[in-house]
Amino acid sequence: MSGSRSDEYSRLATLVAATRETSGDLFGQAMVDWLRQHVGFDHCVIFGYRGAARPSLLFETFTPVESHVFVALYQEGPYLLDPFHHAAVERKEGFWRMRELAPDRFYASEYFRSYYSQTRLAEEVGFFVPLPGKDALVLSLMRLSASGPFGTADARLLRDMAPTVISFIRLRWPALPADEPAETKQDEEIAAVNEFDRAHIWKSLSLTPREKHVVDLVLQGHSTESIARAMRIVPGTVKVHRRNIYRKLKIKSQAGLFARFVEIIDARIR
């Protein structure tokens, strides 16, 4: 992917100049052009995260059809179960691969089957940039199934480039842009919730705080053992919580739980 030394300097100069833009996609495109000199990828997207609020789109390379899945559908609610979103609000920094962040049962979760599989990605990796306050920004690079996942050498190179990428991103966005006026009061209320506690999504249900926590972890793709470790309880207690949750919600499977999640999200955005 490497070009001549003069091409490298030219693209870097363009990228530096683009950090001073105040609107448009000049920075995003300059970053994509520079990164593609080193590593091949199919798409790039940059999201800004502010707690549990709807993420703001800062840059994308998708076609309108692709953007519907990767952006519009994602912003409607699936982002709440996205490992990248969780890592961002937990203020991770640097380069991370999805496989490094995803819970142990993520690829068998209902979220993966119902939403993430629609993206047809072989792999997604990201540069995570904590910003002032509790905000964060993530620049994701994606490779479709036809391209295959990032190789070990590619991932190592991107990890080495992370400090430079993060520095450029912070020059362009020292802070997240202010919320658009169209943001709803409901979104503002959600954003005010402690970002480490996403169980508030289930506040309309007759579940105990612990049951809400279990629901959140199940939907993220955690196994019984992983939930037990996260909550510092034994696996048998997790199973009891799950049985009680299913009984209270009158469902029989994780698919039913995900369907209830979709209902709640749909009601929230109406």
Side-chain angles (χ1 to χ4, degrees):
M1 290 298 148
S2 59
S4 68
R5 186 66 61 87
S6 61
D7 286 343
E8 171 79 3
Y9 289 155
S10 175
R11 284 183 168 82
L12 269 175
T14 301
L15 183 54
V16 170
T19 62
R20 297 189 288 271
E21 74 158 329
T22 57
S23 62
D25 294 334
L26 292 178
F27 175 82
Q29 193 56 56
M31 177 64 78
V32 165
D33 290 344
W34 179 59
L35 289 172
R36 277 194 171 134
Q37 275 198 299
H38 304 277
V39 173
F41 54 91
D42 295 304
H43 286 300
C44 173
V45 64
I46 304 176
F47 278 114
Y49 294 101
R50 180 165 287 149
R54 184 177 184 266
S56 54
L57 174 68
L58 302 177
F59 175 76
E60 64 173 322
T61 61
F62 306 118
T63 65
V65 172
E66 291 167 329
S67 185
H68 176 70
V69 173
F70 284 95
V71 179
L73 289 183
Y74 177 76
Q75 289 176 317
E76 286 180 5
Y79 72 88
L80 290 164
L81 304 178
D82 178 19
F84 273 26
H85 168 255
H86 290 205
V89 298
E90 289 167 6
R91 303 191 65 72
K92 285 190 181 294
E93 182 170 343
F95 173 82
W96 295 85
R97 306 179 79 165
M98 176 66 80
R99 67 184 68 171
E100 296 170 332
L101 299 174
D104 57 349
R105 294 289 292 167
F106 174 74
Y107 295 100
S109 68
E110 194 62 33
Y111 164 74
F112 181 86
R113 287 194 294 266
S114 299
Y115 168 72
Y116 200 86
S117 61
Q118 294 182 60
T119 64
R120 299 183 180 179
L121 291 178
E123 188 174 10
E124 180 177 4
V125 301
F127 296 97
F128 290 73
V129 188
L131 296 175
K134 296 181 179 180
D135 295 345
L137 186 150
V138 179
L139 184 154
S140 294
L141 301 180
M142 303 172 173
R143 296 194 67 178
L144 300 172
S145 298
S147 302
F150 290 90
T152 302
D154 286 344
R156 187 183 303 117
L157 177 58
L158 290 170
R159 203 177 301 276
D160 290 343
M161 295 172 70
T164 303
V165 173
I166 290 170
S167 294
F168 277 129
I169 289 172
R170 284 190 172 130
L171 284 173
R172 171 62 185 89
W173 289 289
L176 273 190
D179 289 339
E180 297 176 7
E183 288 288 319
T184 66
K185 181 178 179 182
Q186 207 163 22
D187 280 337
E188 291 169 2
E189 291 170 351
I190 291 170
V193 176
N194 185 327
E195 61 269 26
F196 295 102
D197 178 15
R198 285 161 292 265
H200 66 277
I201 302 164
W202 304 96
K203 65 183 178 182
S204 62
L205 304 178
S206 57
L207 303 177
T208 68
R210 283 219 153 189
E211 288 169 347
K212 292 174 185 177
H213 195 182
V214 170
V215 165
D216 191 49
L217 292 172
V218 167
L219 285 172
Q220 289 176 42
H222 287 271
S223 66
T224 295
E225 292 73 19
S226 179
I227 294 172
R229 288 193 296 272
M231 297 183 65
R232 298 182 180 180
I233 57 179
V234 297
T237 303
V238 176
K239 292 177 181 177
V240 170
H241 283 316
R242 290 185 72 157
R243 284 198 295 270
N244 289 337
I245 290 163
Y246 285 13
R247 174 178 53 80
K248 288 182 179 181
L249 301 186
K250 298 178 180 174
I251 57 176
K252 297 181 179 180
S253 65
Q254 188 183 138
L257 194 59
F258 185 80
R260 187 61 62 88
F261 167 77
V262 172
E263 288 174 7
I264 291 172
I265 295 302
D266 283 347
R268 194 191 82 186
I269 64 177
R270 281 196 194 108

